[in-house]
Amino acid sequence: MNNYNDIICNPLNDRNKRFLLGKKGVNEMMAIGLNPSTASEKKLDPTSRNIQKIARNNDCDGWWLVNLYPIRTSNPNNLPIKPNLMLAKKNFDFISNLLQNPKFKITKVLCCWGNHIDNHLYLKQQALIILEFIREQNLNLYCIGKTKSGNPYHPSPMSVNNHLGGINELRISQY
């Protein structure tokens, strides 16, 4: 059972965007998804619960979920054709500040955006910018496996159960 009082969400109570969701720990994993869905500080969704389990299964007691683009939608096909560039920059700034803040103990970065990244060029561009910054911080990149297209698997229950053998056996590997 998860104590949702420990879950941090930024911003709070915003149905349009989310920059961060997660829980502090001594050894933290940051997961990079495509875009936020329905999870909040009050209720995790199946994907964020899987992120929490993946962190725990890989020796991390804390986890953070960020995204390539912060607009909330449960269907990535509903993301805008053209990005809001100011919002994209604010998202990148948030991620870079998170990684440089000594209050956070991020030791592993999990790439997990799935194949919908191929739907919009700006998502690929955001991934390149974010990954370059992470490499500059000398952090290792991981994934739970790669799709046939070469993208890191999304940690949805369907992907995890149908392609990766279930959440309890899942381990991360170098990306």
Side-chain angles (χ1 to χ4, degrees), residues 47-96:
T47 297
S48 56
R49 283 193 298 272
N50 275 353
I51 294 286
Q52 185 176 40
K53 288 177 188 174
I54 292 166
R56 198 174 318 129
N57 289 348
N58 289 277
D59 303 319
C60 293
D61 60 340
W63 59 276
W64 301 109
L65 179 55
V66 298
N67 292 279
L68 299 177
Y69 194 67
I71 294 294
R72 283 184 183 255
T73 178
S74 54
N75 183 347
N77 292 322
N78 293 335
L79 286 171
I81 293 170
K82 292 184 178 183
N84 175 326
L85 296 178
M86 288 180 56
L87 189 59
K89 179 168 178 6
K90 187 173 181 180
N91 186 60
F92 171 76
D93 290 346
F94 190 93
I95 293 169
S96 62

Side-chain angles (χ1 to χ4, degrees), residues 29 31 44-58 63 65 110 112 144 154-161 164 166-168 170 172:
M29 180 185 80
L44 297 181
D45 61 10
T47 297
S48 56
R49 283 193 298 272
N50 275 353
I51 294 286
Q52 185 176 40
K53 288 177 188 174
I54 292 166
R56 198 174 318 129
N57 289 348
N58 289 277
W63 59 276
L65 179 55
L110 180 71
C112 56
I144 55 176
H154 185 276
S156 70
M158 187 172 74
S159 291
V160 168
N161 293 328
L164 302 170
I167 192 70
N168 292 326
L170 200 56
I172 59 177

Side-chain angles (χ1 to χ4, degrees), residues 105-164:
K105 308 297 184 206
I106 297 168
T107 58
K108 296 175 182 160
V109 177
L110 180 71
C111 300
C112 56
W113 47 77
N115 282 335
H116 285 287
I117 191 173
D118 295 332
N119 295 358
H120 300 293
L121 180 61
Y122 69 87
L123 294 171
K124 289 182 180 186
Q125 291 169 334
Q126 286 301 110
L128 291 173
I129 292 166
I130 292 167
L131 293 177
E132 180 181 342
F133 182 82
I134 290 169
R135 286 185 183 107
E136 289 171 0
Q137 305 308 304
N138 294 315
L139 288 167
N140 290 323
L141 297 169
Y142 297 90
C143 65
I144 55 176
K146 292 182 184 176
T147 67
K148 289 179 183 175
S149 299
N151 294 311
Y153 269 112
H154 185 276
S156 70
M158 187 172 74
S159 291
V160 168
N161 293 328
N162 292 346
H163 302 288
L164 302 170

